Amino acid sequence: MITSTECETGEARPNSSALLQPILGTDKRNPIFSVCRQAGAPPSLHVYYGAELLEVVPEEGRHAAFKLLVGRLFNAGVKGTALRRCFGVDRKTMQRWGRALQSVDPEQLVRALAGRGGHRKLTAEIQSYVRMRFCEIYQQSHAGYSQRLRGEIQRVFGVELSGECLRPLLKSLRAELRHEVNEPAKQSGAENRETACDCVVETSTCSPVPMPPEPLAVALAAGPPPDIRKESPGLPEPAPAAAVGLCHHLGVLLFSAVLLGVEKEVAASGWLLKQWLATLLLGAVNIEQTKLLDFEDLRRLLGRTLRSPFPQRSQLAELAAGTTAMRLLSFNAQLVGAAQQRDFYFDPHTKHYTGMQNVLKGWCARIRWADKVLHSDFFHTAAGQPVYLECADNYQDMRERFAVLLPRFRQILGLPAAAVVTCVIDRGIFSHEVFTKAVAAPDYHLITWEKNFKPGPWDPQKASGQYALERTRNHAQDKRVYRLEYLDQDWAKNPNMRQLVVRATNPQGSTIQVGILTDDRQRAAAQILYLMFNRWTQENDFKYLDEHWGINQITSYVSVAYERLKDQVEQKQIKSGEYKAREQKTAQLKRQLSKLLLSQHQHPRKSAQRTERIAALTQNLNQAQQAQAKTEKEVSRLEVLIQQQTVRLDTRNKRLLDSLKLIARNAFYQALRPFKSAYNNYRDDHELFRNLTRADGVLVEAADHVEAYLLPTVNYPPAIEKIIHQLLARFNAQDLKMPDGSARRLRLYLGQKTGLQIAIVS
């Protein structure tokens, strides 16, 4: 790569222009591409693919080839810090170039290559139009002139401008107008008409036009000016000034369709369920937290509310005693289209109970110990949407509860009798009895982990196939690949069951080997692997339900003694406490005697002390076995619980509110979906959208329609603000109605603080 030239002294010296300086090397994430710089005027970049020269690109930031190179390297997964250090380009700029390369829209690529100033929205033509129209519009209204100008520009040029974009130009035009009006005597009337704007009065004796000071905020317009409304019938009609007012919790109107649907589902008390659903969406995860909400404004939005916590709890108990929870779960299933699904995740979510009541104990994964617990058995769709739940204590284990839950679950979802569903369950379902029932059942299949699976040597030649599973991390293009190899065979312990031995490798190269069991012999192995390794969606949703929707709230501490449940629970026989104590004592004596006999066998020398000890233990063992044989082995578990004064928490109130929480969660995700897709940043999209749904704002009410101007606490950047406008336009296209029952048309807009005029009225 190094050449030489002859100098005047006859000595050979290296040609500096031929030296290549490495600036980007290979690493773990980039094992192939390397870039070297060649000095010159201008310098150039040599890109190598392994040891082969791929291309030569001028090292000039404005050159299209340079931008394409950086964009390709960014898309290939090269570290952004390394690219920024080598090429001196900001990460956001590299990301914009990379996305433009991936886009199917050629204009996006042209805009990206042109740079930030290549395609400015405020063109010379638009500036000329603003100068022409400013005087007339400003003379008519000193408050909404900027909004009106932007509306006309959007109709004429098809360009949407922000108020900040026009602010410098409008400021200069106002200054010019002030100067011309304040000095009319320097020119004649004819000269004034020729040089001044058309809006200036022709006589030289006119009074100066009053120029308002630069305000912090201007009056909120109840929509665009009247003449624009006539030209654009799709824009909202102006409301009377008296109907304009501030309103808290205005963002909840984004869920107006779901709120009305819940109210319609339970006609008698639907208004109260609508209120509870709205408060959940506003962050009040229990009735006690509703004291922090503005019920006067909620009444404006919902039509009817109940404020005091005590009557709310009374109404909750009455509704929970009926079939309201089942009807809400049915509505939730319709909301997510669960009846068309056939794959579901089943798993209990356990709440650690720390109260004083004597409830049953069970295993709690959160504390890694057995203590008082309350179980909530959940069904989720394969996409992670919760569709059904029931609450239970530890009287029955998960395997018994699953058998009785499944028919009720099918009924609530409205699944056809002939529909065959697949339930993906954790290893807690592991039982030969359960597997036998699943093999014989015609309407469901099971998929679960093999309990106590012991990995063995892996032979790639015997593998039945391989599969790659992609998971998305921080955005849609941030993919991580997990590679799965599997062996498909009959399970040795039960040939009726199918076993998939899987060797899974994560992106870091770590490998594990696990076993998967199923009774479904017809389904493709790749689908089974996907369902099993995608169970994290349900686990993540449990955390999400707990953190944002309060699924761990007990709601009511009312309990029912097991003495009153005699006719409602199934009788179960368990080992008596006395028998278990004698059994443990017998086992202990056997262990001690076994050690002495083993010692006697290994060292057969005579030891009087050891012989006496063996004889004594043998006698004690015989007595313990006789006592154990005379003890009653099994007793009724129910009778034992009654004697111990055990109680069961009354979970009807909890189940009703939890059903509303499932609806709130699914409604939030459905409303979030278009924003999530457009924003494409999974780190904080939930937080940004949640802030919008809890925003206050300005409500403009008319007889047949309502306009809601949301004022979130987030200062959205222009790109996100544009996404919010598009999202609200999508909502408006759905012909939303006010959830107060008035059937008035609802329109949602993103308001600005600069559109408010605040005054203190004494």
Side-chain angles (χ1 to χ4, degrees):
M1 302 296 296
I2 300 178
T3 63
S4 61
T5 58
E6 296 291 335
C7 65
E8 295 179 354
T9 60
E11 296 179 353
R13 62 182 180 183
N15 184 1
S16 60
S17 63
L19 294 176
L20 296 180
Q21 178 187 1
I23 61 173
L24 178 65
T26 59
D27 54 26
K28 291 182 179 180
R29 291 182 57 179
N30 173 32
I32 298 176
F33 293 103
S34 59
V35 180
C36 299
R37 176 186 291 118
Q38 185 179 34
S44 60
L45 300 175
H46 290 230
V47 185
Y48 285 87
Y49 181 82
E52 298 292 333
L53 180 62
L54 183 64
E55 62 177 334
V56 179
V57 175
E59 191 178 8
E60 185 179 357
R62 294 178 298 175
H63 202 286
F66 175 85
K67 297 178 180 180
L68 293 174
L69 169 63
V70 177
R72 286 196 298 269
L73 291 175
F74 183 86
N75 289 340
V78 181
K79 289 183 179 179
T81 55
L83 293 176
R84 184 176 58 186
R85 183 177 63 252
C86 296
F87 302 112
V89 180
D90 184 75
R91 181 182 179 86
K92 291 185 177 179
T93 304
M94 293 187 288
Q95 187 179 43
R96 184 171 69 251
W97 293 344
R99 289 181 177 175
L101 284 171
Q102 294 176 337
S103 174
V104 297
D105 183 11
E107 294 184 2
Q108 181 177 350
L109 180 59
V110 173
R111 290 193 299 269
L113 294 179
R116 181 168 297 178
H119 289 269
R120 293 188 180 275
K121 289 186 176 180
L122 189 57
T123 61
E125 293 80 4
I126 296 179
Q127 292 185 38
S128 300
Y129 182 85
V130 172
R131 292 179 183 276
M132 179 189 69
R133 294 283 296 150
F134 172 75
C135 290
E136 178 182 351
I137 295 176
Y138 188 74
Q139 182 69 19
Q140 294 175 1
S141 172
H142 288 182
Y145 66 96
S146 176
Q147 183 178 5
R148 181 175 174 182
L149 274 170
R150 285 184 277 125
E152 291 189 8
I153 291 170
Q154 185 173 7
R155 291 198 318 276
V156 175
F157 296 95
V159 177
E160 183 178 353
L161 297 179
S162 65
E164 195 64 31
C165 180
L166 284 179
R167 186 184 301 276
L169 177 60
L170 297 179
K171 184 178 180 180
S172 65
L173 292 175
R174 288 198 306 269
E176 292 176 6
L177 180 61
R178 185 185 300 112
H179 177 73
E180 292 170 356
V181 172
N182 288 341
E183 299 181 0
K186 294 182 180 180
Q187 302 176 4
S188 64
E191 292 173 340
N192 189 33
R193 286 193 299 271
E194 293 174 358
T195 58
C197 297
D198 295 337
C199 62
V200 179
V201 181
E202 295 184 6
T203 61
S204 61
T205 58
C206 65
S207 59
V209 177
M211 296 299 297
E214 286 291 323
L216 296 176
V218 297
L220 171 74
D227 55 339
I228 296 182
R229 295 179 187 278
K230 294 177 181 179
E231 298 172 3
S232 302
L235 294 175
E237 294 294 329
V244 180
L246 291 174
C247 183
H248 292 115
H249 317 313
L250 205 59
V252 79
L253 293 178
L254 289 165
F255 308 100
S256 60
V258 179
L259 293 171
L260 289 171
V262 168
E263 183 180 23
K264 184 179 179 181
E265 188 70 23
V266 184
S269 303
W271 65 273
L272 188 54
L273 296 173
K274 177 177 64 176
Q275 172 187 319
W276 287 334
L277 179 58
T279 58
L280 286 169
L281 291 164
L282 292 172
V285 298
N286 54 46
I287 291 177
E288 285 69 24
Q289 292 182 8
T290 58
K291 62 188 177 184
L292 302 176
L293 302 179
D294 187 340
F295 274 85
E296 295 299 326
D297 284 345
L298 281 178
R299 184 179 294 111
R300 294 176 63 188
L301 302 177
L302 304 179
R304 180 182 179 186
T305 56
L306 181 62
R307 179 172 185 173
S308 178
F310 180 76
Q312 287 191 64
R313 286 192 289 267
S314 301
Q315 291 288 334
L316 176 63
E318 292 182 10
L319 291 173
T323 61
T324 306
M326 306 298 287
R327 297 167 70 177
L328 289 176
L329 289 172
S330 178
F331 175 81
N332 177 63
Q334 297 173 17
L335 183 65
V336 299
Q340 287 72 45
Q341 306 291 325
R342 293 297 179 266
D343 298 325
F344 299 95
Y345 295 113
F346 172 79
D347 199 24
H349 180 63
T350 301
K351 158 70 177 173
H352 181 211
Y353 174 75
T354 57
M356 298 298 295
Q357 301 190 71
N358 186 23
V359 302
L360 286 176
K361 294 183 178 181
W363 177 258
C364 182
R366 175 167 295 185
I367 63 173
R368 298 182 179 276
W369 196 256
D371 205 347
K372 298 176 183 178
V373 294
L374 175 64
H375 299 303
S376 295
D377 297 322
F378 277 85
F379 280 91
H380 284 68
T381 65
Q385 302 161 319
V387 291
Y388 187 78
L389 86 156
E390 285 191 17
C391 302
D393 62 3
N394 210 44
Y395 186 80
Q396 293 178 309
D397 64 17
M398 186 181 77
R399 293 165 292 194
E400 296 171 316
R401 298 198 304 270
F402 172 74
V404 297
L405 273 177
L406 193 57
R408 295 198 290 265
F409 161 74
R410 295 177 63 99
Q411 180 182 0
I412 289 298
L413 263 64
L415 294 173
V420 180
V421 299
T422 298
C423 297
V424 185
I425 312 177
D426 202 356
R427 54 178 53 86
I429 200 69
F430 189 93
S431 169
H432 289 282
E433 181 181 356
V434 172
F435 294 155
T436 302
K437 291 181 179 179
V439 170
D443 57 349
Y444 74 91
H445 294 296
L446 284 183
I447 301 176
T448 185
W449 299 110
E450 182 178 352
K451 195 174 182 179
N452 299 325
F453 174 79
K454 295 181 180 180
W458 183 262
D459 186 359
Q461 302 298 328
K462 295 183 180 179
S464 304
Q466 58 184 358
Y467 179 62
L469 176 64
E470 275 191 349
R471 284 185 182 174
T472 305
R473 296 204 307 173
N474 295 326
H475 53 83
Q477 291 76 35
D478 188 6
K479 303 287 188 180
R480 289 295 180 269
V481 179
Y482 296 77
R483 305 193 180 279
L484 310 175
E485 299 176 87
Y486 63 91
L487 179 63
D488 195 345
Q489 60 188 10
D490 292 339
W491 189 32
K493 297 181 181 179
N494 185 352
N496 293 323
M497 295 291 291
R498 179 182 178 186
Q499 182 192 43
L500 296 176
V501 180
V502 186
R503 186 173 184 265
T505 305
N506 67 7
Q508 289 74 35
S510 300
T511 301
I512 61 170
Q513 194 176 141
V514 294
I516 299 175
L517 299 177
T518 179
D519 64 304
D520 191 349
R521 293 187 166 276
Q522 305 300 323
R523 191 157 197 170
Q527 297 179 12
I528 297 174
L529 296 179
Y530 172 80
L531 288 172
M532 203 68 226
F533 282 89
N534 204 45
R535 278 197 68 252
W536 61 272
T537 55
Q538 185 183 35
E539 299 297 335
N540 282 3
D541 192 63
F542 284 148
K543 298 178 182 178
Y544 192 81
L545 288 171
D546 185 12
E547 180 177 356
H548 295 290
W549 307 106
I551 205 69
N552 266 352
Q553 300 283 328
I554 291 183
T555 305
S556 172
Y557 288 88
V558 177
S559 61
V560 182
Y562 265 91
E563 188 174 4
R564 296 173 54 188
L565 298 174
K566 287 183 178 180
D567 301 330
Q568 301 179 26
V569 299
E570 181 184 357
Q571 292 284 353
K572 297 177 65 176
Q573 295 296 113
I574 59 172
K575 286 184 180 180
S576 65
E578 183 181 1
Y579 185 86
K580 286 193 290 186
R582 294 188 180 280
E583 191 176 36
Q584 291 175 1
K585 182 179 180 180
T586 301
Q588 183 180 7
L589 291 172
K590 285 182 178 180
R591 287 194 297 270
Q592 295 176 1
L593 184 58
S594 298
K595 291 181 180 179
L596 289 174
L597 291 175
L598 179 60
S599 179
Q600 179 71 15
H601 175 71
Q602 293 177 341
H603 308 284
R605 60 186 178 180
K606 295 181 179 180
S607 173
Q609 184 178 1
R610 185 170 57 190
T611 304
E612 292 176 1
R613 182 62 178 159
I614 291 174
L617 285 175
T618 302
Q619 183 179 0
N620 292 340
L621 179 60
N622 292 333
Q623 292 175 358
Q625 289 176 337
Q626 292 175 6
Q628 180 182 346
K630 295 178 181 178
T631 304
E632 184 179 7
K633 182 177 181 180
E634 292 186 345
V635 295
S636 170
R637 187 182 188 189
L638 182 59
E639 295 298 330
V640 172
L641 296 180
I642 292 174
Q643 292 175 7
Q644 296 175 351
Q645 298 183 348
T646 309
V647 299
R648 171 184 286 182
L649 293 176
D650 187 348
T651 58
R652 290 178 295 180
N653 292 6
K654 173 177 173 57
R655 191 187 183 206
L656 191 149
L657 268 190
D658 285 357
S659 301
L660 282 172
K661 291 174 182 178
L662 299 193
I663 296 174
R665 182 268 182 206
N666 290 327
F668 181 86
Y669 264 76
Q670 286 187 354
L672 170 71
R673 190 176 298 123
F675 176 79
K676 186 183 186 75
S677 176
Y679 180 46
N680 196 24
N681 186 343
Y682 304 156
R683 299 180 189 90
D684 58 358
D685 52 358
H686 284 248
E687 295 298 328
L688 287 174
F689 186 72
R690 186 175 291 107
N691 184 273
L692 181 68
T693 63
R694 298 178 184 177
D696 303 327
V698 178
L699 199 64
V700 183
E701 299 184 76
D704 60 341
H705 71 276
V706 175
E707 297 174 4
Y709 293 84
L710 305 180
L711 298 173
T713 59
V714 180
N715 294 322
Y716 293 121
I720 301 180
E721 185 175 347
K722 181 178 180 181
I723 294 174
I724 296 295
H725 283 298
Q726 294 173 349
L727 176 68
L728 296 180
R730 183 191 295 261
F731 277 105
N732 294 336
Q734 299 174 7
D735 193 23
L736 300 177
K737 304 296 182 183
M738 272 294 288
D740 60 357
S742 63
R744 290 180 295 176
R745 187 180 63 183
L746 173 64
R747 290 294 180 267
L748 299 165
Y749 304 98
L750 183 62
Q752 300 289 341
K753 288 185 291 185
T754 55
L756 293 176
Q757 183 178 21
I758 301 175
I760 299 177
V761 181
S762 58

